Amino acid sequence: MTTSPYAEQLGRARTAADFAAVIALLDTDLSAAIANRPGLRQAEDRAVFGDGDLAAARAAVDDNNDAIAVLEKTIAAADERRGAAAAAEARADIEALGGETGARAALLGKHWSAVRRLVEELRQELFEADALIRTIATANGLFDAAGLCDLKANLAATRRAAMAGPRAAAPARLSRAGLQADRILLSLIRPGGALDPRPSLRAPLAGAKKKPVPASTRG
């Protein structure tokens, strides 16, 4: 038994999978050679007592032992090459991931720039809206004083109508920081949020008096 049937495959092997395939074949031959050892030794023992050619029996035992030694040595060398190939492949994968990560970081920078631009646009819109609120509130006060309440503009209704509409769902794996930022943004358009400071429907109004409890129901 020799390794020559697999010498060409070992020479062509480049990847960890290539080496693993050849090692599997070598392991099969090694198992067969080890399995042959007891029978060859028994034949040698019989030849010692005249049952068979002793020289041939001993030569068969030696050849088998040599094959086992060569196979074990070849397997060890192939396994070392397999490990080196696996390490090189892992490094290549990491380097590829590094390139992808660099590209994603550049894309992330573009998204953050867009976020900054949109936040600045949002701030400008809020400034404009706030100025209009003050102007309309002043006019509403004049209408009240003149008894022309039908001319008043309903600021709350205007705001809520403008804020109504579908909202995008947050991604399932949004980070904690992302969730917090999303809540802050939603508070700007949610009823009762930062821009709609109306009392909760379930909360008692400030200064509201409690109804007296009838004497018949007191403990």
Side-chain angles (χ1 to χ4, degrees):
M1 183 72 64
T2 66
T3 61
S4 57
Y6 310 116
E8 185 177 353
Q9 295 180 50
L10 284 171
R12 292 198 307 264
R14 293 293 181 272
T15 67
D18 293 340
F19 284 108
V22 181
I23 289 172
L25 296 174
L26 292 169
D27 278 335
T28 300
D29 287 354
L30 177 60
S31 297
I34 293 174
N36 287 337
R37 181 183 286 170
L40 293 173
R41 286 181 175 175
Q42 290 174 5
E44 181 185 16
D45 292 341
R46 290 194 299 270
V48 170
F49 294 99
D51 184 10
D53 187 336
L54 180 60
R58 286 178 173 172
V61 170
D62 291 342
D63 288 346
N64 192 65
N65 288 337
D66 290 344
I68 291 174
V70 171
L71 284 166
E72 289 176 341
K73 183 177 180 180
T74 305
I75 289 172
D79 191 58
E80 185 177 349
R81 295 287 185 87
R82 182 201 59 76
E89 291 166 10
R91 284 195 300 270
D93 290 341
I94 291 173
E95 290 173 357
L97 180 60
E100 293 175 3
T101 301
R104 287 171 179 159
L107 181 59
L108 175 61
K110 292 181 179 179
H111 282 297
W112 282 130
S113 294
V115 169
R116 184 196 61 78
R117 174 178 52 79
L118 292 172
V119 168
E120 287 301 317
E121 290 181 8
L122 173 61
R123 293 179 69 221
Q124 293 300 321
E125 293 292 341
L126 289 173
F127 298 157
E128 295 292 338
D130 191 71
L132 288 170
I133 287 172
R134 293 196 307 272
T135 301
I136 294 172
T138 300
N140 283 346
L142 295 176
F143 297 146
D144 272 334
L148 301 174
C149 295
D150 57 327
L151 297 179
K152 292 174 61 176
N154 190 322
L155 292 172
T158 301
R159 177 175 56 245
R160 291 166 192 168
M163 297 291 188
R167 299 169 188 170
R173 298 187 64 183
L174 193 62
S175 68
R176 182 178 298 179
L179 285 171
Q180 183 178 3
D182 188 51
R183 284 194 293 267
I184 292 172
L185 292 174
L186 287 176
S187 73
L188 299 177
I189 60 175
R190 186 171 48 235
L195 298 179
D196 188 16
R198 58 178 175 171
S200 172
L201 294 178
R202 295 184 179 180
L205 295 176
K209 296 182 179 179
K210 295 183 179 179
K211 293 183 178 180
V213 179
S216 59
T217 62
R218 295 175 183 173

